[in-house]
């Protein structure tokens, strides 16, 4: 049986003999290169046994660097138009773009205009840059963490196209999981689900609540003991204060200037936590809703995300293996 | 259709969180309601002008507006650098350190708002309850409202109302606030029209008649009011209108105006994702419009008050009110000379007066929720940082009400209200509440000043990095000017008897709030350390390479 089909061992690579007890959890990096680099260093920095990216690996925007007819390059970032006159300047600009979680693309004048007019071209290019970006991140992880004993897990979520799953599954050092593939963390089992309840943006992995409930049930087939189970469900539980987002009008503008906040999490996720009572429930999805809460006995966390600013918001969780409980946790801004 | 040569724009895909911003009007509205002209403005700024008899209100208004604009730029800058951080506590903790931030923000946004509860309550009393009781000649009610029990009752109503508004959630409250804005503006427009088209002699007659009708006064009460003001003030009571080449004591009016105009950043708006400098401008312009429309409304009010009430009468009536409050003189009216109430006398109709007062109550209702909303956020943030127990960030399962955070606000606020109602010394102590929030703002202004160096990477990756003045980061320049302005006000509040908040006991009392916050932080640090949690690690940056 190939390694990838064993529960908890979707990818190969070295495994620690000593079970992990300290988890460093982040979510929604959305292509921010600086956050990914910090993430890879976080295990050593916090003394964590495993670093987990809960979901939403890939970026949301491409920044075209357009070559004009006269040979100069032009680009805009944060509403500021730059003329880039040397290769060094372009590379520097590309770094800035990647640090914010966007993908720089070099295009000619004509390509740029064509992309403006043809959504398919944009989609195609997005697919390319997202896959390239994910591959590059995997390579960085291999280089940084291979042989260190620190496990690195990255799971796809609603904003990630399905094509990145194969890249993550095929990685050597980076592990991944989903409803069908739980991950073993020592004596614990982490079940993951990147799907969310519907959003106004109709992203890749969305489903109505009943379907989410079915997916969760499927994921829980691998989990027998709540005390040794960790949920990594991208969608936060409904009305848990981990899911407060600004209400939006149909045209995707903020209601009441962003002052109107409403819960947008998943009822299926909430019900599953309430029913199953896992040791720990890790969430993301709603970047502005950093927080912690208890649902029954379960500690649920959403570290939030400030990926564009290059701040790595995270949850550091110490688990007492003997007592099978969360010893302590902290939400940090690394 | 795109054309060759145009500025390249980014390509976005469908992804969570990509919103299209918000309307400038909404951003304006929340700022406008925070620098609330009717509640804080009329009661705490325009009613005390006579204490600086030769101060000129017009330049004082403009000077305050200009310097508060720097505060707006500073806060818009902080929002654009750390968009979702959510306020002073998080900004300061990232730049100045967790301990300083906790002490400043918890004192300024939590403890001190217990003491704002009676301030809010007092405004509800003098702007809604007492005028209504006066209009309907409910003497027993008026007596009760003026008593200690009445004051406690009104404070309790305010605390419970603010708690209820918070329990509605932000979405519900935002709707109420918008409704209040329209009702309040309509009421203001009516009163302004009365003041614009009504004559001063007409007002004098109306005032004399209604003073006799409602308060049993006799004779030319209008002139008596001015004479009484002169006596109470020990000299002429007329603050000058207009400009002179030398401001004279005009700057002394600024700390009075700051009781009201210093808060356009109170409900700082959210900042979107995958956006840039345009959002900095949008955030800034929302607050800036809120500030300057308010200044504009205030300027119009000054001219209309001069024209309709007579500037001398307006200030004398206000001075007489404060003379009765502080016991150094008498007044012709048993209630505060609330301008909408005075203007409504023009109609000689109790019902119309009551309707105007109730409609003006919208200014209070749209503002009352702000009492606890910010506190709830700060309490949550401190709990998420593990400084406070996680329990305090709990929300009720059924209605999602932040129960513990509300208890931590409501119970102390009610206790404080009782002290306020039943002990006169306590009333002086709590006037420092404004001072404490200004100290918190000072902390953020200093954080903004040094941010480009203390958090270089964060600053350089933000749209703010583009804005410079003579090569110096704009956020540093605006932070510096804001800090200077706040220090100017703090200096006067601390040292000048004029503002009635430099009572040594008051300073010790407010200092004890900082001490309390420090004790909470130190205890939290020790307790968390014993649990294996290092509070100092919250903002430690992970190396990139």
């Amino acid at each position: 049986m190939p390694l990838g089909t064993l529960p908890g061992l979707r990818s190969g690579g070295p495994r620690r003999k000593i079970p992990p007890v300290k988890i460093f959890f982040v979510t929604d990096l959305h292509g921010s290169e600086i956050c990914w680099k910090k993430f890879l260093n976080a295990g050593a920095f916090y003394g964590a046994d495993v670093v987990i990216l809960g979901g939403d690996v890939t970026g949301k925007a491409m920044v075209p660097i357009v070559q004009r007819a006269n040979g100069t390059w032009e680009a805009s970032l944060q509403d500021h138009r730059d003329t880039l006159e040397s290769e060094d300047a372009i590379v520097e600009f590309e770094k800035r773009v990647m640090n914010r979680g966007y993908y720089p693309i070099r295009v000619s004048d004509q390509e740029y205009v064509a992309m403006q007019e043809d959504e398919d071209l944009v989609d195609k290019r997005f697919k390319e840059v997202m896959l390239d970006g994910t591959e590059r991140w995997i390579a960085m992880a291999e280089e940084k963490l291979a042989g260190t004993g620190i496990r690195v897990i990255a799971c796809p979520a609603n904003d990630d196209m399905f094509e990145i799953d194969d890249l993550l599954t095929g990685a050597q050092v980076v592990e991944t999981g989903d409803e069908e593939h739980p991950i073993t963390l020592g004596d614990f089992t982490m079940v993951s689900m990147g799907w969310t309840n519907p959003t106004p943006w109709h992203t890749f992995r969305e489903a109505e609540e009943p379907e989410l409930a079915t997916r969760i049930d499927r994921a829980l087939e691998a989990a027998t003991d709540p005390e040794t189970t960790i949920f990594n469900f991208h969608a936060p539980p409904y009305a848990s204060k981990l899911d407060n987002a600004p209400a939006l009008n149909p045209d995707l503008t903020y209601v009441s200037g962003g002052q109107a906040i409403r819960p947008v999490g998943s009822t299926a996720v909430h019900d599953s936590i309430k029913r199953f009572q896992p040791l720990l429930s890790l969430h993301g999805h709603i970047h502005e809703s950093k927080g912690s809460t208890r649902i029954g006995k379960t500690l649920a966390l959403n570290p939030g995300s400030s990926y564009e600013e290059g701040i790595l918001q995270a949850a550091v969780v110490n688990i007492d293996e003997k007592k099978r409980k969360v010893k302590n946790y902290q939400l940090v801004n690394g | 259709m795109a054309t060759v040569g145009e500025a390249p724009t980014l390509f976005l895909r469908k992804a969570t969180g990509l919103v299209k911003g918000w309307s400038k009007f909404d951003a304006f509205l929340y700022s406008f309601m925070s620098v609330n002209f009717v509640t804080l403005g009329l009661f705490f700024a325009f009613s005390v002008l006579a204490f600086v008899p030769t101060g000129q209100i017009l330049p004082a208004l403009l000077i305050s507006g200009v310097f508060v604009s720097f505060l707006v730029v500073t806060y818009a800058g902080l929002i654009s650098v750390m968009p979702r951080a959510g306020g002073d506590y998080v900004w300061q903790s990232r730049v100045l350190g967790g301990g300083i931030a906790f002490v400043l923000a918890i004192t300024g946004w939590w403890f001190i708002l217990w003491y704002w509860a009676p301030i809010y309550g007092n405004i509800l009393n003098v702007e809604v309850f007492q005028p209504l009781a006066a209009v309907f000649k409910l003497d027993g009610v008026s007596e009760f409202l003026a008593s200690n029990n009445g004051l406690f009752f009104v404070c309790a109503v305010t605390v419970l109302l603010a708690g209820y508004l918070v329990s509605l959630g932000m979405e519900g409250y935002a709707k109420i606030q918008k409704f209040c804005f329209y009702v309040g503006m309509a009421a203001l427009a009516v009163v302004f029209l009365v003041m614009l088209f009504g004559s001063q002699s007409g007002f004098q007659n109306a005032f004399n008649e209604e003073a006799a009708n409602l308060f049993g006064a006799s004779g030319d009460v209008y002139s008596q009011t001015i004479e009484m003001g002169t006596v109470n003030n020990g000299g002429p009571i007329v603050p000058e209108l207009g400009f002179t080449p030398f401001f004279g004591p005009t700057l002394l009016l600024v700390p009075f105006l700051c009781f009201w105009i210093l808060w356009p950043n109170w409900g700082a708006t959210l900042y979107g994702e995958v956006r840039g400098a345009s959002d900095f401008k949008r955030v800034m312009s929302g607050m800036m419009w809120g500030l300057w429309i308010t200044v504009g409304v205030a300027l119009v009010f000054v001219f209309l008050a001069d024209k309709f009430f007579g500037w001398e009468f307006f200030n004398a009536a206000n001075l007489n009110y404060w003379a009765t409050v502080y016991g150094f003189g008498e007044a012709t009216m048993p209630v505060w000379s609330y301008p909408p109430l005075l203007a409504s006398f023009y109609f000689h109709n109790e019902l119309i007066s009551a309707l105007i007062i109730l409609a003006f109550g919208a200014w209070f209702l749209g503002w009352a929720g702000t009492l606890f909303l910010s506190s709830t956020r700060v309490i949550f943030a401190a709990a998420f940082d593990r400084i406070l127990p996680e329990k305090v960030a709990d929300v009720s399962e059924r209605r999602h009400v932040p129960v513990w955070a509300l208890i931590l606000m409501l119970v102390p606020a009610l206790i404080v209200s009782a002290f306020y109602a039943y002990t006169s010394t306590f009333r002086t102590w709590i006037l420092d509440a404004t001072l404490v929030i200004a100290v918190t703002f000072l902390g953020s202004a200093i954080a903004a000043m040094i941010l480009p160096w203390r958090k270089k990477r964060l600053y350089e990756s933000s749209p703010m990095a583009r804005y410079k003045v003579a090569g110096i980061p704009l956020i540093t320049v605006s932070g510096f000017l804001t800090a200077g302005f706040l220090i100017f006000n703090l200096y006067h509040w601390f040292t000048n008897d004029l503002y009635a908040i430099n009572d040594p006991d008051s300073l010790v009392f407010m200092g004890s709030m900082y001490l309390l916050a420090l004790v909470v932080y130190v205890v939290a640090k020790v307790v968390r350390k014993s649990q294996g949690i290092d509070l100092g690690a919250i903002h430690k940056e992970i190396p990139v390479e």
Side-chain angles (χ1 to χ4, degrees):
Chain A
M1 183 186 285
L3 276 177
T5 58
L6 276 172
L9 290 175
R10 294 198 70 200
S11 59
R15 290 287 178 271
R16 280 167 52 85
K17 299 283 183 207
I18 305 163
V21 291
K22 193 168 193 177
I23 292 171
F24 180 85
F25 176 81
V26 302
T27 179
D28 299 84
L29 296 195
H30 286 291
S32 167
E33 193 114 333
I34 199 166
C35 284
W36 179 254
K37 287 176 179 172
K38 286 181 176 181
F39 172 66
L40 297 180
N41 287 333
F45 189 77
Y46 288 100
D49 303 280
V50 56
V51 293
I52 302 168
L53 166 51
D56 283 358
V57 179
T58 50
K60 302 176 179 182
M62 289 189 295
V63 176
I65 304 171
V66 182
Q67 187 170 35
R68 300 300 186 194
N70 62 7
T72 60
W73 295 84
E74 270 195 356
S76 292
L77 186 61
Q78 298 173 309
D79 301 334
H80 184 84
R81 190 173 180 171
D82 272 314
T83 300
L84 308 165
E85 287 170 353
S86 67
E87 179 62 20
D88 284 351
I90 297 172
V91 170
E92 195 51 42
F93 181 84
E94 286 174 334
K95 267 189 204 167
R96 278 174 50 210
V97 170
M98 287 191 287
N99 282 343
R100 287 195 75 78
Y102 316 151
Y103 299 107
I105 53 167
R106 297 191 192 192
V107 290
S108 69
D109 248 344
Q110 287 73 23
E111 280 175 303
Y112 173 69
V113 173
M115 285 176 75
Q116 287 277 359
E117 289 166 3
D118 187 343
E119 266 186 38
D120 289 343
L121 283 177
V122 175
D123 287 346
K124 189 167 166 269
R125 195 64 182 260
F126 251 124
K127 195 173 283 187
E128 285 170 17
V129 294
M130 283 195 280
L131 292 175
D132 286 351
T134 307
E135 271 186 300
R136 193 175 64 254
W137 279 19
I138 289 170
M140 286 161 65
E142 310 265 331
E143 193 184 319
K144 190 73 137 186
L145 293 179
T148 62
I150 297 169
R151 291 175 68 180
V152 53
I153 296 166
C155 301
N158 69 305
D159 277 324
D160 296 314
M161 58 198 298
F162 293 101
E163 284 84 343
I164 75 157
D165 294 20
D166 289 339
L167 288 179
L168 293 169
T169 305
Q172 290 299 301
V173 168
V174 178
E175 302 168 54
T176 192
D178 58 25
E179 305 96 284
E180 311 286 345
H181 301 92
I183 297 172
T184 305
L185 303 171
D187 288 347
F188 301 93
T189 302
M190 185 171 84
V191 291
S192 301
M193 183 186 66
W195 288 68
T196 67
N197 45 316
T199 74
W201 296 275
H202 311 295
T203 56
F204 296 102
R205 300 167 207 243
E206 294 180 10
E208 297 294 339
E209 294 288 359
E211 194 192 323
L212 283 187
T214 307
R215 286 180 172 276
I216 291 169
D217 286 345
R218 205 156 61 229
L220 289 182
E221 283 170 13
T224 48
D225 181 1
E227 286 189 342
T228 59
T229 300
I230 297 168
F231 284 4
N232 170 32
F233 293 166
H234 192 56
Y238 177 74
S240 60
K241 83 180 184 273
L242 307 182
D243 65 329
N244 285 331
L248 297 176
N249 294 305
D251 64 352
L252 299 182
T253 55
Y254 285 127
V255 171
S256 304
Q259 302 284 329
I261 303 295
R262 70 170 65 141
V264 296
S266 160
T267 52
V269 169
H270 188 276
D271 293 347
S272 69
I273 298 170
K274 206 168 173 184
R275 195 179 68 242
F276 192 80
Q277 291 287 281
L279 172 72
L280 175 67
S281 196
L282 301 167
H283 306 277
H285 193 40
I286 308 302
H287 303 178
E288 50 277 85
S289 202
K290 165 187 167 179
S292 61
T293 194
R294 301 265 171 185
I295 298 174
K297 281 190 280 183
T298 301
L299 171 68
L301 300 171
N302 175 3
S305 174
S306 291
Y307 72 93
E308 279 185 292
E309 294 77 51
I311 297 168
L312 188 63
Q313 294 185 202
V316 183
V317 186
N318 267 304
I319 298 175
D320 187 326
E321 268 219 299
K322 217 172 176 182
K323 293 181 183 166
R324 294 184 168 181
K325 66 174 199 176
V326 173
K327 195 176 163 193
N328 60 48
Y329 73 93
Q330 194 168 17
L331 300 176
V332 296
N333 308 297
Chain B
M1 181 186 283
T3 56
V4 170
E6 71 179 25
T9 54
L10 43 72
F11 295 104
L12 293 169
R13 65 184 175 92
K14 282 183 175 177
T16 321
L18 294 180
V19 298
K20 292 180 181 165
W22 57 93
S23 85
K24 282 184 184 173
F25 174 73
D26 283 338
F28 148 77
L29 193 146
Y30 298 105
S31 177
F32 182 72
M33 289 304 274
S34 298
V35 275
N36 197 298
F37 171 70
V38 171
T39 55
L40 287 174
L42 288 180
F43 188 60
F44 277 120
F46 286 89
S47 73
V48 291
L49 302 179
F51 289 105
V52 188
T54 50
Q56 300 160 56
I57 180 61
L58 298 177
L61 266 173
L62 294 174
I63 291 166
S64 304
V66 167
F67 277 93
V68 176
S69 297
F70 295 122
L71 176 91
V72 165
V73 173
T74 303
Y75 270 77
L78 285 167
I79 292 165
S80 84
V81 176
M82 292 179 262
R84 291 198 193 78
D88 296 273
Y89 170 63
V90 184
W91 295 325
Q92 290 178 20
S93 54
R94 285 189 183 162
V95 181
L96 303 177
I100 295 173
F102 182 81
V103 170
L104 288 181
I106 286 294
T107 312
W109 283 117
W110 177 15
F111 296 167
I112 218 61
L113 291 181
W114 300 334
Y115 305 98
W116 275 65
I119 293 175
Y120 276 56
N122 200 25
I123 290 176
L124 178 64
N125 204 13
V126 297
E127 294 196 351
V128 182
F129 287 179
Q130 286 185 349
L132 281 178
V135 162
F136 291 118
K137 291 193 256 187
L138 304 171
D139 294 342
V141 175
S142 291
E143 242 170 68
F144 170 73
L145 291 170
S147 69
N148 293 345
N149 287 341
L151 194 51
F152 178 69
F153 167 76
V154 176
C155 290
V157 166
T158 305
V159 169
L160 296 176
L161 175 67
Y164 173 71
L165 292 172
V166 171
S167 76
L168 286 180
M170 278 305 292
E171 186 166 7
Y173 183 59
K175 282 180 191 160
I176 289 176
Q177 227 179 1
K178 199 170 241 183
F179 171 76
C180 288
F181 168 79
Y182 289 117
V183 173
M185 285 304 282
L188 187 67
V190 168
V191 164
F192 274 13
L193 286 173
V194 170
M195 292 167 78
L196 179 65
F197 293 109
S199 66
Q200 195 177 119
S201 58
F203 169 71
Q204 287 178 15
N205 293 335
F207 178 74
N208 288 337
E209 266 182 49
E210 291 304 318
N213 175 31
L214 299 178
F215 312 126
S218 59
D220 185 358
V221 191
Y222 183 91
S223 301
Q224 291 165 21
T225 300
I226 294 173
E227 283 159 24
M228 204 171 274
T230 311
V231 172
N232 287 335
N233 208 26
I237 44 89
V238 191
E240 289 177 21
L241 256 189
F243 295 91
T244 61
F246 302 104
F247 290 139
T250 295
L251 290 181
L252 292 178
L253 287 176
V254 172
F256 274 134
L257 297 185
C258 281
F259 287 145
W260 146 63
I261 206 172
L262 200 57
W263 329 113
N265 54 337
W266 199 286
T269 319
L270 279 171
Y271 194 84
E273 250 180 80
V274 194
R275 313 188 79 82
S278 59
D279 268 13
F280 161 68
K281 290 178 193 161
R282 194 188 293 258
V283 170
M284 188 178 67
S285 70
M287 289 191 271
M288 209 63 104
W289 279 109
L291 169 67
W292 281 99
I293 297 267
T294 302
V295 170
V297 167
L299 288 169
V300 171
F301 173 78
V302 167
F303 286 116
L304 291 176
D306 183 38
K307 175 196 165 291
F308 185 67
F309 300 132
W311 197 235
E312 194 177 21
F313 167 83
F314 174 74
N315 285 284
N318 279 307
L319 183 78
N320 296 345
Y321 169 74
W322 288 111
T324 59
V325 168
Y326 286 104
F328 63 85
E330 292 180 337
T332 51
M333 290 170 71
V335 294
W336 174 47
S337 49
Y338 182 38
L341 174 69
L342 297 182
S344 76
F345 287 166
Y346 209 71
F347 292 102
H348 300 283
N349 184 301
E350 289 164 6
L351 205 56
I352 292 177
S353 288
L355 279 174
I356 287 174
I357 288 157
L358 279 173
F360 264 83
W363 286 86
F364 180 85
L365 186 62
W367 174 72
T370 60
L371 178 59
F372 292 155
L373 279 171
S374 308
S375 324
T376 312
R377 286 176 185 165
V378 171
I379 291 170
F380 273 37
F384 295 154
D385 278 356
R386 310 304 309 276
I387 298 170
L388 297 175
E390 65 181 42
K391 192 88 186 157
V392 304
D394 274 0
V395 291
S396 72
E397 200 163 325
R398 189 172 290 180
R399 294 200 54 223
H400 323 306
V401 177
V403 184
W404 282 101
L406 271 178
I407 289 172
L408 287 171
M409 290 307 301
L410 292 178
V411 173
L414 284 171
I415 294 169
V416 162
S417 296
F419 276 110
Y420 178 84
Y422 297 107
T423 63
S424 55
T425 317
F426 198 79
R427 288 174 207 171
T428 311
W429 289 4
I430 69 160
L431 282 170
D432 274 350
T434 299
L435 187 154
V436 171
I437 297 185
V439 171
T440 305
F441 284 8
L442 179 61
S444 290
I446 292 168
M449 268 165 71
I450 61 175
L451 186 139
W453 295 276
R454 284 277 291 175
K455 292 285 167 187
K456 196 164 188 244
R457 200 198 310 272
L458 188 61
Y459 168 74
E460 284 178 351
S461 70
S462 77
M464 279 311 286
R466 298 279 177 200
Y467 295 94
K468 294 202 160 97
V469 179
I472 304 168
L474 173 63
I475 196 167
T476 300
V477 174
S478 65
F480 176 79
L481 291 166
T482 303
F485 180 62
L486 291 168
I487 288 167
F488 166 82
N489 284 293
L490 287 166
Y491 171 77
H492 281 283
W493 287 331
F494 272 125
T495 59
N496 199 330
D497 291 345
L498 183 64
Y499 306 102
I501 58 172
N502 65 337
D503 183 277
D505 293 340
S506 171
L507 293 177
V508 169
F509 183 71
M510 289 300 158
S512 69
M513 293 296 107
Y514 286 102
L515 190 64
L516 176 62
L518 187 63
V519 168
V520 171
Y521 185 77
V522 171
V523 168
K525 194 148 181 153
V526 171
V527 170
R528 291 307 186 196
K529 195 173 180 186
S530 73
Q531 294 170 340
I533 299 169
D534 173 15
L535 292 185
I538 296 169
H539 301 293
K540 272 189 191 155
E541 190 165 1
I542 303 167
V544 176
E545 300 306 334

